[in-house]
Amino acid sequence: MVAIIKCREDEDEYLEFLEKLHQSRRHDWEWSFTRGRALWSKGRHLLLIASMDTDGRFEVTRVGKSVRRRGAKDQDQQLRVTHVRRLRRPLRLAELLDGLTAAQQRHLVEEGHQSKGTGEAIRARLLRLRPELTEAVQLIEGAIDSWDFGDSRAAQEVALQRDATLGVTRMAGMQAPQLAEWDPPAEELYDDTVPPLFLDMVGAASHPDELFDSSEHRSQDSSARPDMMSNQQALEDHLVMHDTRAMHGWLSEETDHVAWRRFREHGRTLLVANANRTQAEQALGCDIIFYNVTRHSLVLVQYKKLDAERGGFYYPSRDRKNLAKELLRMRSLDRYAERHAGPADEQRLDPSPSWIKLCHPRSVLPHTTEMIHGMYFSRRQFESLRDDARLKDGRGGAVRFGYKNVPSYLDNTLFTRLVETGQIGTTGTSTDLVRQQVIRSFRGQRNLVLATLSGEEAPQSVRNAQRRAGR
């Protein structure tokens, strides 16, 4: 994204002061400014900083990277600028913008973030007129800061939902690079409120197939939403439409706090929903419910957190009450799947749907598609390990799960690959069973990432080529 800021006289003087103060010491520095929030609703930009010359005309004197900070007051937005680079040859702003087409001029805003097409045109023209800026612009665009949120419980819930969202795209064998481009909340998160949804942080789609239902189309009246969804032009596939209505029905019974996203690849469609209804201080983690419509296969993953970001452990005894209820739910699901499996169904290495992921809590989230490192266990394996003498090495012989003592587990890559290739998961799953698990997740006060995959699997040669390209 590209944005333009026109400096006031005092701001320009302050920038001059910062440059003299810090560049002599070769220190990195940053600058903060405040503008009307309406034109700064997006998060990160290549910022063109314009100053007034002696004739009272604006010229681009610097470029930098801007990110949103907390709102300054009701209608204002504070922005932080880093990686500021001064132009050796200032460029008249009018000269830069006069080269835009009539259509681009109509979308141009004098100050603030530009539309995608207009921004790309401004960037291309800037580098054409000042090619010596190419390296600086590439540095600025590659400088994407992580979100450091400390020990906020609400942000921890967002981190789990982000990881689960990335997880379902891996289970579908999709790349989904769009998920690396997201904006952290500009406001402070409070644990006594429902945390924001990760998919709401992902920027607007650049292709109509990517976006399912944006927040501006969301209605609090759940009874009106099915009709509204049926009018979305992008939803032409009847199978996806049926799946969409089913998912909406399951979720709207429990919450209106839902974000949706759709991904398409090689004739397959992945519909992903983020949903929660519980305040962060009451939340018990996150569930993944991944339903492969074509294979009638279900996988459920329940997140549990280790007690430290590094070298931590999970102690079942500290989670006795919640764990007992959750394992009961998982056993019930596994028994249901076993009873309804038939000899004609696909063969799996493990046909049980219930899995547990143990992962470290996070205090920093990167702008990448990197998942949180974790250990995956089937429900049976997890219960067996609770009786394993090798795990009874906590204080007083307490059982604990950690990287230091668990003898074997699946990592992110292996687990998602096994789901993608149909080696684990149920056979013959009914949509009614999926619905039951959705409701149970909410009643268990858990955040939810629900995904359904429709369409025939891509040929092996295509998937292999894609995997090589993604390395």
Side-chain angles (χ1 to χ4, degrees), residues 51-59 92:
S51 305
M52 196 175 291
D53 65 11
T54 55
D55 297 324
R57 293 176 294 189
F58 280 102
E59 57 185 11
R92 290 275 173 86

Side-chain angles (χ1 to χ4, degrees), residues 433-463:
L433 177 59
V434 181
R435 176 184 178 278
Q436 290 176 31
Q437 298 312 310
V438 169
I439 303 306
R440 284 184 174 189
S441 291
F442 282 128
R443 289 178 179 168
Q445 295 183 310
R446 302 185 66 82
N447 292 337
L448 178 65
V449 171
L450 172 62
T452 62
L453 179 65
S454 306
E456 295 299 325
E457 191 172 18
Q460 183 67 41
S461 58
V462 172
R463 289 188 285 118

Side-chain angles (χ1 to χ4, degrees), residues 52-73:
M52 196 175 291
D53 65 11
T54 55
D55 297 324
R57 293 176 294 189
F58 280 102
E59 57 185 11
V60 180
T61 57
R62 303 168 181 87
V63 292
K65 185 190 104 173
S66 67
V67 296
R68 290 188 308 165
R69 303 189 78 174
R70 298 179 186 176
K73 55 184 181 180

Side-chain angles (χ1 to χ4, degrees), residues 335-342 345 427-428:
R335 284 196 297 266
Y336 181 99
E338 189 175 358
R339 285 198 307 268
H340 289 78
D345 290 338
T427 57

Side-chain angles (χ1 to χ4, degrees), residues 97-108:
L97 302 180
D98 283 348
L100 300 178
T101 66
Q104 291 161 353
Q105 290 278 1
R106 285 195 298 271
H107 291 94
L108 178 69

Side-chain angles (χ1 to χ4, degrees), residues 110-363:
E110 287 191 11
E111 194 174 43
H113 65 77
Q114 308 296 324
S115 65
K116 186 174 186 294
T118 299
E120 289 176 348
I122 292 174
R123 179 189 183 279
R125 185 164 172 78
L126 173 70
L127 296 183
R128 189 160 54 248
L129 295 172
R130 296 292 185 270
E132 65 271 19
L133 283 177
T134 300
E135 184 176 348
V137 168
Q138 290 175 345
L139 172 68
I140 290 166
E141 291 176 334
I144 301 176
D145 293 334
S146 300
W147 178 30
D148 188 345
F149 52 80
D151 59 357
S152 165
R153 177 67 183 268
Q156 290 282 353
E157 296 301 317
V158 176
L160 291 182
Q161 203 173 69
R162 168 189 173 274
D163 189 74
T165 303
L166 291 169
V168 295
T169 63
R170 302 287 195 280
M171 295 179 202
M174 294 185 177
Q175 299 294 315
Q178 306 94 320
L179 295 179
E181 293 296 322
W182 54 275
D183 296 326
E187 293 78 24
E188 185 175 351
L189 302 184
Y190 296 98
D191 292 347
D192 59 353
T193 60
V194 178
L197 301 165
F198 170 68
L199 282 179
D200 274 342
M201 300 180 184
V202 178
S206 58
H207 188 281
D209 281 347
E210 296 173 9
L211 185 62
F212 172 70
D213 184 24
S214 67
S215 57
E216 65 185 4
H217 290 133
R218 228 172 262 137
S219 169
Q220 295 301 316
D221 180 4
S222 60
S223 64
R225 296 172 87 186
D227 292 336
M228 180 177 61
M229 289 181 182
S230 66
N231 292 328
Q232 296 288 329
Q233 294 181 357
L235 299 178
E236 298 172 348
D237 185 278
H238 294 295
L239 179 59
V240 175
M241 175 66 81
H242 178 272
D243 195 29
T244 300
R245 289 185 180 276
M247 285 180 68
H248 171 260
W250 303 332
L251 295 171
S252 63
E253 289 182 14
E254 300 294 324
T255 183
D256 282 323
H257 196 48
V258 181
W260 306 80
R261 182 75 62 171
R262 187 175 70 172
F263 303 93
R264 278 184 168 176
E265 192 174 285
H266 303 304
R268 297 178 303 152
T269 299
L270 179 69
L271 184 63
V272 184
N274 290 175
N276 59 42
R277 58 180 295 214
T278 306
Q279 297 174 0
E281 61 190 6
Q282 300 171 348
L284 301 176
C286 185
D287 277 352
I288 293 176
I289 298 177
F290 180 77
Y291 181 39
N292 189 323
V293 177
T294 306
R295 292 190 170 199
H296 304 288
S297 179
L298 172 70
V299 172
L300 181 142
V301 182
Q302 186 167 114
Y303 279 73
K304 292 288 185 182
K305 286 189 289 188
L306 305 176
D307 63 358
E309 191 163 356
R310 295 187 178 211
F313 291 91
Y314 172 72
Y315 291 83
S317 60
R318 296 179 185 174
D319 192 26
R320 184 179 292 111
K321 183 178 179 181
N322 295 323
L323 180 62
K325 293 179 181 178
E326 291 158 354
L327 288 175
L328 180 63
R329 171 174 69 132
M330 299 172 95
R331 286 190 212 103
S332 174
L333 175 59
D334 289 351
R335 284 196 297 266
Y336 181 99
E338 189 175 358
R339 285 198 307 268
H340 289 78
D345 290 338
E346 292 186 62
Q347 296 300 307
R348 312 274 199 231
L349 289 175
D350 190 335
S352 299
S354 301
W355 291 77
I356 293 173
K357 179 178 182 179
L358 300 182
C359 57
H360 293 294
R362 299 294 294 267
S363 61

